[in-house]
Amino acid sequence: MTTEERLAKVERELAETRQELADLRAELAAGLTTRQVEIIDEAGMRRALLGMHTDGGSGLDLFDETGTRRALLGVHAGGGSGLILHDAAGENRAALGVHANGGPGLRLYDAAGKPRALLNMRANTGPRLDLFDENGTLRAGLTVDKNGPGLSLADAAGKGIWSAP
């Protein structure tokens, strides 16, 4: 192959590559469609993941510099949505959500990842606050409904020890 032939071949390949890049730019300008997008930092560590979950929902997962998931914002396949915040060990610490029936809720967890406080707005009866001990036993509940407020307290076994009204 002569120098002129080699040069002509390189020029053809360069023109083809330029056309491919122009086509790719046009596709990206029209919008990117995919099931998942992963964002990594300079060290190659996953820092964000936007995509579909295995249950059919969608979400945005955010990770710290060690790769531990620290936050999840998602929409569940059943219609609910939520935000879950994790500590540095990856344990759930707080969750804010809206159930599929439209009722909002807030859940707070201890360092072991156990739920300790739940605040829910119930569709038929109104707000409810439940407090749990370190063993997961419901120890106190506060409600407000059309009949007024209610408070109940329980011992370590979950047996009611006081309530009003």
Side-chain angles (χ1 to χ4, degrees):
M1 183 179 288
T2 67
T3 304
E4 291 81 21
E5 292 171 333
R6 280 188 260 164
L7 181 58
K9 180 181 177 190
V10 168
E11 288 175 345
R12 278 193 312 273
E13 290 174 355
L14 180 59
E16 290 172 5
T17 301
R18 284 184 176 149
Q19 184 59 51
E20 289 172 2
L21 285 173
D23 293 345
L24 181 58
R25 272 192 224 116
E27 287 179 27
L28 289 175
L32 177 65
T33 301
T34 185
R35 293 184 53 79
Q36 182 171 301
V37 174
E38 181 178 46
I39 298 174
I40 60 172
D41 64 17
E42 308 78 39
M45 184 69 68
R46 179 191 308 183
R47 298 305 295 272
L49 182 64
L50 174 65
M52 300 301 297
H53 290 159
T54 56
D55 68 356
S58 60
L60 171 63
D61 296 77
L62 300 174
F63 302 85
D64 66 16
E65 63 278 355
T66 68
T68 301
R69 182 169 55 186
R70 298 300 298 273
L72 166 63
L73 175 64
V75 176
H76 308 289
S81 60
L83 170 66
I84 302 173
L85 303 175
H86 307 272
D87 62 18
E91 293 290 343
N92 291 350
R93 295 310 302 266
L96 175 65
V98 177
H99 302 284
N101 67 7
L106 173 66
R107 188 177 289 227
L108 302 177
Y109 301 84
D110 65 17
K114 293 182 181 179
R116 298 295 299 273
L118 278 69
L119 176 61
N120 289 298
M121 178 61 75
R122 298 172 302 161
N124 297 330
T125 58
R128 179 174 178 91
L129 173 64
D130 291 327
L131 302 175
F132 299 84
D133 66 17
E134 64 278 358
N135 297 314
T137 304
L138 178 62
R139 299 295 301 271
L142 175 64
T143 62
V144 178
D145 61 23
K146 64 183 177 190
N147 299 318
L151 175 64
S152 61
L153 303 176
D155 63 16
K159 181 180 176 193
I161 58 174
W162 187 86
S163 67

